[in-house]
Amino acid sequence: MQPPAPDNVYLPKIAILDRTEDEIADVRTFYWHFDDPAVQTVFKRFRPGQFAQVSVFGVGEFPASLPPSPTEPNLFLTVRKVGSVTAALHQLKLGARFGVRGPYGNGFPMQNYFGQNLVIVAGGIGLIPLRSCIVYALHNHERFRKILLFYGARTPGDLMYLNELPAWQEAPNFECYLTVDRPDQAWSHHVGVAGSLFKKPGVTVPVENTMAFVCGPPIMFRFVIRDLKAMGFEDRNIISTLERYMKCGVGKCGHCCIGLAYVCTDGPVFTYEQIKRLGEDI
Amino acid sequence: MRARVLAKADLLALVDCLCQDYEVIAPFAGRGRDSFFEPVTDQNRSAIRLHLPNPSYPPKRYVFPHIERMLRIHLDDLPHIEPLYDAPKRALFGIRSCDTAGIDHLDRFYLGRDYRDVYYAQLREHLFLVNVVCTDPDLDIDDDCFCMCADTGPAARDHFDLQLMDLGEELLAVAGTPAGEAYFSQPLFKKATPAHVNRRREILAEIRKRFKLATSWYAGTSRLITLKKVSNEIWEQIGNRCLECGGCSYLCPTCTCFTVTERPAGPGDYERVRIWDACALGGFTRMAGGFNPRRAAHDRRNRRFFHKLAHYFIQRDLSVTCVGCGRCIGVCHGAIGMPAVVEILRQASVGSEIHATTGA
Ligand SMILES: Cc1cc2nc3c(=O)[nH]c(=O)nc-3n(C[C@H](O)[C@H](O)[C@H](O)COP(=O)(O)OP(=O)(O)OC[C@H]3O[C@@H](n4cnc5c(N)ncnc54)[C@H](O)[C@@H]3O)c2cc1C
Ligand code: SF4
Ligand code: FES
């Protein structure tokens, strides 16, 4: 569980914006460090799959996944501009101060999967929370069998983190397959929904001794689950992160509940077996 | 039992003692059966009553304010962030047993589990509770009270600092904490005899017979909800009657949900505040971009009763999240307060059981 609570869990810590990088339309990566080095040290103990509450002062606060792996030196967020606070974050200038508190949530129990294959299926910006476990797994690649990434988006312009692929591909046991719904002229990879990659000639998806990670829009999620189940994946070997309206991140505001679970403290990572038992549709 | 007695005429003397140590809040009678909690002043002091209908606007706001300031944000060259705490030493005089149980629930919720809520903790630490036992069948006990079913009243067993009970000529005072017991050193408290304790027992036995609304089939309802035996049509029926006003949650002594927002507070200044929120409201789960996992009103009504009655939450929260105060009955325009929903579920289950046996 979480470390003992500090005095005021709602108090954002001051973060300083160091650098930004545009990913795809409306999605930008924000590199930051904490003003207080002691806060930075404690925060850096986050786990893949955890999230933070991000404040733009005077505007509000929202939850965002932590896409870096704890094995990387830098802290960053990748955020899509959709509403008031995310738009305000996109407006920030380098050197600006904003607020971050966390890390929150359970995260992926990566150590439990040592010795197994990882099948990682991402749709669109669903790659943001999964990036952390990809980079973590690649950093520890000798502890896993095969690490397969299946990544789909609507168009080639909607694929994220592509500039990192060459570095990722240095790991001998990593394979990556890309697909889009609507290709452009330059597109040389697969066309179709994410699940269609599983049947692509030359692709072998391990099922035994394998954990499948799935993150993406609800429709993609449903179809990928169906495909994985058809291949023989057990519900408990499929794992995902859920997204819900959140205000507090610490199990008090009540907004994020799905059935029996508080997504912020019991999740956001759940196995498909757990998702089916929540008692409310996702 | 650490008990004493005091003369009824000394009630205000006790209030005066409390006023030396605390800002004292007490319920006052309004028009008709209206009543409200207000700070005690020299002017209104003499209007303090032992018996009156419990205020609709619940005392939970003294630990979980309707609107609570969390942070002050000053935007200058550098943003300056400062937490705002406002936790005066207060005594809540005349809190009813159901509401005392409500505060106990809030204690477990806000102070327990993974994180401790510092705003709640500070208000709570500074709050002294004087519970008054409901003994007047007309003034204290409303048509809608069902604390007997929720097992919270009419006399709280714990979670108060002091408890007062009307024995006729005298008041029986029970201390629930050392802070409460400390007041027994005041000369107005006299020794309680076994006769007083007997009298207490007799009065309680009698008053328990005077409740008008005595049915609220919790255990059975919990079982139906937990086992998912309630059909979607029944939830739709209940949901169709909900006008989505949120009143039930606002008045509920155990509802804890809030939203957080930032508001301007002068030039370059903002406040981050939290405000009571309600799962009945359409926007409660609506995410940026418009996706709302609980679109239909009945999905949201279902949510409220699921949380209050499902066995899992009873385990998690350590009690049924309903204290039997009856406020939701009074406030709901759709007549779907807790007892009504429990009754709808009971009747539906009777129907389906008959159906199951005859249909076989
Ligand atoms: C665990 C988790 C991780 C997330 N990770 C990322 C990420 O890495 N990158 C990214 O771009 N987005 C992420 N999101 C979604 C992101 O939180 C919303 O897009 C964001 O809250 C929208 O805020 P807004 O103020 O711009 O929109 P508005 O519509 O103005 O929303 C106002 C407020 O409502 C709440 N809210 C609205 N929509 C959501 C939502 N979808 N989820 C949670 N709270 C919401 C927030 O408190 C928000 O500040 C994540 C959501 C969750 C729950
Ligand atoms: S008080 Fe009644 S009408 Fe109002 S939100 Fe609650 S259930 Fe719905
Ligand atoms: S975000 Fe507030 S309870 Fe989960």
Side-chain angles (χ1 to χ4, degrees):
Chain A
M1 274 281 104
Q2 301 296 328
D7 288 342
N8 187 341
V9 288
Y10 301 106
L11 190 64
K13 309 291 192 302
I14 300 288
I16 300 170
L17 183 61
D18 295 323
R19 177 160 72 85
T20 65
E21 218 167 275
D22 286 337
E23 298 290 345
I24 56 174
D26 287 339
V27 179
R28 187 175 293 165
T29 294
F30 300 84
Y31 292 84
W32 95 89
H33 69 274
F34 283 105
D35 192 27
D36 180 348
V39 171
Q40 176 103 357
T41 309
V42 174
F43 190 94
K44 289 270 332 235
R45 297 185 198 133
F46 70 91
R47 293 186 292 275
Q50 286 193 296
F51 69 95
Q53 286 283 65
V54 181
S55 287
V56 180
F57 295 123
V59 189
E61 195 176 43
F62 69 96
S65 312
L66 292 166
S69 158
T71 55
E72 291 177 289
N74 291 328
L75 288 174
F76 56 91
L77 303 161
T78 302
V79 174
R80 181 160 65 158
K81 185 164 72 176
V82 280
S84 50
V85 193
T86 48
L89 185 75
H90 276 245
Q91 300 276 308
L92 291 185
K93 305 213 163 42
L94 297 191
R97 288 167 180 239
F98 61 106
V100 177
R101 58 187 177 93
Y104 296 128
N106 55 358
F108 293 104
M110 296 304 288
Q111 280 92 336
N112 295 0
Y113 310 139
F114 285 166
Q116 300 192 23
N117 301 295
L118 306 182
V119 168
I120 300 166
V121 193
I125 63 167
L127 190 60
I128 300 174
L130 289 177
R131 185 193 174 284
S132 182
C133 73
I134 294 170
V135 175
Y136 177 90
L138 294 175
H139 183 85
N140 296 290
H141 65 87
E142 70 293 341
R143 313 186 89 136
F144 295 95
R145 293 188 173 191
K146 285 169 91 182
I147 303 165
L148 276 66
L149 171 63
F150 299 94
Y151 181 33
R154 258 177 323 188
T155 71
D158 295 317
L159 291 164
M160 304 179 29
Y161 301 135
L162 285 190
N163 55 349
E164 303 194 45
L165 265 186
W168 293 0
Q169 262 152 349
E170 278 170 27
N173 50 348
F174 179 73
E175 295 169 28
C176 172
Y177 301 96
L178 302 177
T179 184
V180 295
D181 297 339
R182 282 183 275 123
D184 58 14
Q185 311 241 295
W187 185 251
S188 59
H189 301 274
H190 191 74
V191 176
V193 297
S196 65
L197 285 171
F198 302 151
K199 297 178 204 92
K200 203 180 135 174
V203 175
T204 329
V205 184
V207 177
E208 288 305 308
N209 203 12
T210 303
M211 205 61 201
F213 296 66
V214 187
C215 281
I219 306 174
M220 170 266 181
F221 182 79
R222 265 201 304 280
F223 281 107
V224 169
I225 297 282
R226 196 196 58 185
D227 294 338
L228 291 172
K229 300 265 300 173
M231 285 190 283
F233 274 91
E234 309 255 6
D235 290 346
R236 67 190 146 85
N237 293 332
I238 301 173
I239 196 161
S240 181
T241 69
L242 295 181
E243 184 177 332
R244 273 299 177 277
Y245 189 101
M246 286 189 181
K247 277 295 169 188
C248 72
V250 293
K252 303 297 185 203
C253 77
H255 280 275
C256 70
C257 291
I258 306 180
L260 301 170
Y262 284 74
V263 173
C264 64
T265 51
D266 301 329
V269 172
F270 296 94
T271 65
Y272 189 56
E273 185 178 38
Q274 291 170 323
I275 291 174
K276 284 193 359 193
R277 289 196 195 142
L278 292 176
E280 186 175 347
D281 294 341
I282 54 161
Chain B
M1 200 157 58
R2 286 142 298 173
R4 296 286 187 280
V5 286
L6 69 157
K8 236 172 165 177
D10 279 341
L11 182 68
L12 287 185
L14 173 60
V15 172
D16 292 340
C17 285
L18 292 169
C19 283
Q20 309 231 307
D21 303 326
Y22 299 97
E23 176 194 21
V24 180
I25 311 285
F28 291 92
R31 283 202 274 178
R33 288 190 73 85
D34 272 358
S35 59
F36 45 88
F37 285 103
E38 278 219 317
V40 172
T41 62
D42 288 345
Q43 286 72 42
N44 66 15
R45 172 183 171 280
S46 58
I48 290 177
R49 299 274 175 279
L50 209 49
H51 303 293
L52 76 173
N54 197 12
S56 295
Y57 193 19
K60 79 171 171 187
R61 71 182 185 280
Y62 295 107
V63 275
F64 175 39
H66 204 142
I67 299 179
E68 184 169 28
R69 304 191 308 161
M70 303 176 86
L71 302 176
R72 173 170 298 126
I73 298 167
H74 181 66
L75 296 183
D76 210 336
D77 288 344
L78 297 178
H80 184 75
I81 316 301
E82 181 200 346
L84 295 171
Y85 304 115
D86 179 21
K89 267 188 89 177
R90 277 199 194 114
L92 203 44
F93 180 89
I95 182 171
R96 299 307 165 103
S97 300
C98 51
D99 288 337
T100 311
I103 292 206
D104 172 49
H105 172 78
L106 299 182
D107 283 352
R108 282 181 270 127
F109 181 82
Y110 286 118
L111 305 178
R113 298 201 72 85
D114 304 346
Y115 297 94
R116 184 179 154 86
D117 188 300
V118 63
Y119 297 99
Y120 181 90
Q122 297 209 350
L123 282 164
R124 183 66 183 94
E125 262 161 37
H126 293 142
L127 188 69
F128 184 89
L129 295 178
V130 185
N131 167 232
V132 169
V133 177
C134 295
T135 50
D136 187 310
D138 299 315
L139 287 171
D140 295 336
I141 298 169
D142 218 284
D143 290 353
D144 297 338
C145 290
F146 59 103
C147 57
M148 293 262 296
C149 318
D151 194 26
T152 57
R157 284 187 288 265
D158 43 19
H159 311 303
F160 50 78
D161 293 287
L162 269 183
Q163 181 180 63
L164 300 179
M165 180 169 156
D166 192 346
L167 298 184
E169 292 302 300
E170 289 163 311
L171 299 175
L172 184 74
V174 175
T177 60
E181 202 172 351
Y183 283 93
F184 288 169
S185 64
Q186 299 283 346
L188 49 102
F189 287 102
K190 307 282 179 313
K191 257 192 132 66
T193 63
H196 289 115
V197 179
N198 270 338
R199 182 85 192 105
R200 177 181 200 269
R201 199 172 301 130
E202 284 164 18
I203 292 176
L204 284 178
E206 183 52 34
I207 199 70
R208 287 201 180 97
K209 296 180 198 147
R210 304 292 292 272
F211 279 79
K212 293 142 213 156
L213 183 71
T215 169
S216 198
W217 188 63
Y218 276 134
T221 315
S222 273
R223 183 173 57 84
L224 292 178
I225 291 184
T226 307
L227 300 178
K228 305 193 89 191
K229 290 263 162 75
V230 182
S231 71
N232 215 37
E233 290 88 84
I234 297 295
W235 285 125
E236 271 176 42
Q237 246 180 54
I238 297 168
N240 287 342
R241 285 160 63 170
C242 173
L243 300 173
E244 305 183 50
C245 66
C248 48
S249 292
Y250 294 155
L251 298 194
C252 179
T254 68
C255 272
T256 48
C257 291
F258 59 85
T259 187
V260 180
T261 189
E262 238 135 286
R263 65 183 188 190
D269 277 338
Y270 294 85
E271 280 170 0
R272 183 171 289 181
V273 295
R274 66 170 166 196
I275 307 173
W276 289 357
D277 207 346
C279 57
L281 305 180
F284 191 76
T285 51
R286 192 195 309 122
M287 296 192 268
F291 175 66
N292 191 347
R294 293 189 204 132
R295 267 177 314 272
H298 64 263
D299 287 344
R300 297 194 283 277
R301 277 323 50 202
N302 167 337
R303 171 73 211 165
R304 178 171 157 89
F305 294 102
F306 184 78
H307 188 165
K308 291 201 177 289
L309 297 172
H311 182 249
Y312 170 87
F313 276 106
I314 298 173
Q315 278 185 320
R316 183 173 182 133
D317 300 335
L318 299 178
S319 65
V320 170
T321 323
C322 171
V323 295
C325 70
R327 290 185 175 92
C328 54
I329 306 172
V331 76
C332 185
H333 306 279
I336 42 168
M338 178 60 87
V341 168
V342 164
E343 184 58 18
I344 292 170
L345 299 186
R346 189 186 68 81
Q347 289 191 2
S349 85
V350 169
S352 68
E353 260 152 44
I354 290 169
H355 192 73
T357 42
T358 54

